[in-house]
Amino acid sequence: MNPAKPSLELLRSLTDEHVLTALMRRRRMTRAELAIETGLSKPTMGESVRRLTDAGVVADTGERSVGGRGRGRVASYYALADDVGVALALSIAPEGIVAECVDAYGDNLARAEQKIDRPAQPDAVAVAVNAAVKRAGRQAARPARLAVVSAAGPVERATARLIKVPDQHFPLGELNPADLLASQVSGPIVVDNDVNWAAQAERDHHHDLRDFAYVFLGEGLGCAVVSDGQIRQGYAGTAGEISHLITIGPDGRATRLIDIFGDLDLRQTDSTAIDVDRLLTEATDEQAGAVVRQALGQAISGVLAAIVALTDPETVIIGGPWGSHPVILDAITAAATHLPRPVPIRAAELTTEASLVGARIDALARLRKSIITTAHEI
């Protein structure tokens, strides 16, 4: 084997990666601009652009720089080829289905929403997912290279199926998003639960966040544990399912967290899902609200005691439509001051579609990496 050959291939791969990274950042550039941006010589840059163009990863845009007498030579602008594809970010939640297509520049090319009936049925959700994904695909008019899915429910780590668990607020049985998307996505399909994606969005929003617990309090209940910057999913993928943790009930007795909302009459009709509107109305009532706030603060602080004891987070972030409400957050924080190991508690800063934001960020990173990997295989 020629020992120089692997070194030459590695050099070409690194050069191509620099070119692609620069184009993803700047969108369109001439060879001269690429040489300046990357610090590489013009001949090396020209060879890389030629190689990437021949491979169909980069394309001449047809645009030319201003040239002519006294202005230098006319130069061609290059950009990523349109057919390198997009990434699909998909949210499956009780509020409905949202499908977005993101290109390698980070632009959201398409967004399609599809409402679902309540209570949700797996077959109806599958139809809604297909409708939203197809509509987003038509808007983007580019092939989906990969997909990242946020699902409001526990996801089996080995199969990416949604897992049926007791008292699930959004019962989808064993719906498999990867199977639903297989005919519409050419590459890998990554599936995780919505709380994990929301925690990742919060992590990426604050680059110094490395060790924290993200507790979601909405129609459903969940927790994500981030350690050394990584989500801890557990053996099966169900780490952070806090609904059945034993905590302090309104009467002072030990009870499961999920049952407390039944005791307080804060569940939706014929469902274990929490009635968020009713909860907020009662908790913020000037006269009767103190009792509800105390019960919720006491119950959540008991859950936090278990989370802190087992995961040792630097801080606890509370998200969700009622968990991050200032009145309820104050009640939780006050009750948590009596914990054996109190930790800082604060509200999540990303409150709008946090899980979709997390999935979208991950989809963009995976798309860029996939394009660079393709160039390495040239």
Side-chain angles (χ1 to χ4, degrees):
M1 178 182 293
N2 183 353
K5 188 175 181 180
S7 298
L8 180 59
E9 290 180 352
L10 177 59
L11 179 60
R12 286 175 175 172
S13 294
L14 291 174
T15 302
D16 294 346
E17 182 171 342
H18 287 315
V19 171
L20 291 171
T21 300
L23 288 175
M24 290 172 188
R25 183 169 57 245
R26 297 278 298 276
R27 296 175 180 269
R28 59 159 204 163
M29 302 178 75
T30 65
R31 287 188 176 110
E33 289 172 340
L34 282 165
I36 295 171
E37 180 82 6
T38 61
L40 297 169
S41 69
K42 289 183 179 179
T44 299
M45 184 55 55
E47 176 62 21
S48 177
V49 170
R50 182 199 62 76
R51 189 166 52 248
L52 292 170
T53 302
D54 288 347
V57 181
V58 168
D60 185 333
T61 65
E63 300 173 271
R64 302 291 181 262
S65 65
V66 177
R69 183 174 299 175
R71 297 183 180 180
R73 298 176 60 184
V74 174
S76 299
Y77 281 99
Y78 292 88
L80 297 176
D82 287 344
D83 57 5
V84 297
V86 297
L88 172 68
L90 177 68
S91 172
I92 304 174
E95 300 78 24
I97 311 300
V98 180
E100 295 183 343
C101 291
V102 183
D103 68 14
Y105 305 119
D107 292 337
N108 197 340
L109 301 183
R111 177 183 171 102
E113 301 180 26
Q114 191 77 23
K115 293 297 184 182
I116 53 178
D117 294 332
R118 306 291 297 272
Q121 300 298 325
D123 289 345
V125 172
V127 171
V129 166
N130 280 319
V133 170
K134 287 180 179 179
R135 197 158 67 251
R138 287 195 296 269
Q139 291 175 22
R142 297 183 186 181
R145 191 182 186 106
L146 56 87
V148 175
V149 181
S150 167
V155 177
E156 188 174 44
R157 188 174 180 179
T159 66
R161 287 181 176 273
L162 297 184
I163 305 171
K164 185 177 182 180
V165 295
D167 301 316
Q168 194 170 358
H169 78 290
F170 188 44
L172 295 180
E174 295 182 352
L175 187 73
N176 190 333
D179 285 349
L180 292 179
L181 300 177
S183 64
Q184 302 182 63
V185 178
S186 62
I189 299 168
V190 178
V191 186
D192 204 350
N193 75 69
D194 54 347
V195 182
N196 284 349
W197 289 124
Q200 290 193 53
E202 198 76 20
R203 177 201 64 191
D204 294 338
H205 187 63
H206 296 275
H207 297 294
D208 58 337
L209 272 178
R210 301 290 296 170
D211 295 271
F212 66 98
Y214 182 101
V215 177
F216 179 86
L217 304 174
E219 286 190 19
L221 307 164
C223 174
V225 175
V226 180
S227 179
D228 293 330
Q230 300 297 314
I231 294 287
R232 303 305 176 191
Q233 295 173 305
Y235 170 72
T238 57
E241 292 298 319
I242 60 174
S243 293
H244 295 99
L245 276 179
I246 302 301
T247 186
I248 308 167
D251 58 0
R253 297 181 181 181
T255 187
R256 300 186 310 168
L257 176 61
I258 189 65
D259 292 335
I260 288 171
F261 301 93
D263 296 340
L264 295 173
D265 194 26
L266 295 176
R267 286 182 174 177
Q268 296 179 20
T269 304
D270 299 325
S271 172
T272 59
I274 296 165
D275 190 325
V276 174
D277 291 338
R278 191 190 314 167
L279 185 153
L280 288 173
T281 297
E282 296 196 12
T284 56
D285 184 89
E286 292 185 5
Q287 297 181 341
V291 174
V292 175
R293 290 195 300 272
Q294 181 180 9
L296 293 175
Q298 183 174 254
I300 301 304
S301 71
V303 170
L304 296 186
I307 293 171
V308 170
L310 293 173
T311 67
D312 188 28
E314 178 184 2
T315 188
V316 172
I317 298 174
I318 308 290
W322 62 269
S324 56
H325 190 284
V327 170
I328 296 176
L329 188 65
D330 286 346
I332 295 171
T333 302
T337 58
H338 304 294
L339 296 181
R341 293 165 56 188
V343 296
I345 298 172
R346 68 169 178 80
E349 293 191 17
L350 296 177
T351 57
T352 303
E353 295 186 331
S355 59
L356 181 58
V357 170
R360 186 191 308 130
I361 292 172
D362 188 74
L364 174 59
R366 290 176 185 273
L367 175 62
R368 288 174 170 173
K369 184 177 180 180
S370 175
I371 292 170
I372 291 171
T373 298
T374 297
H376 288 171
E377 295 170 351
I378 297 172

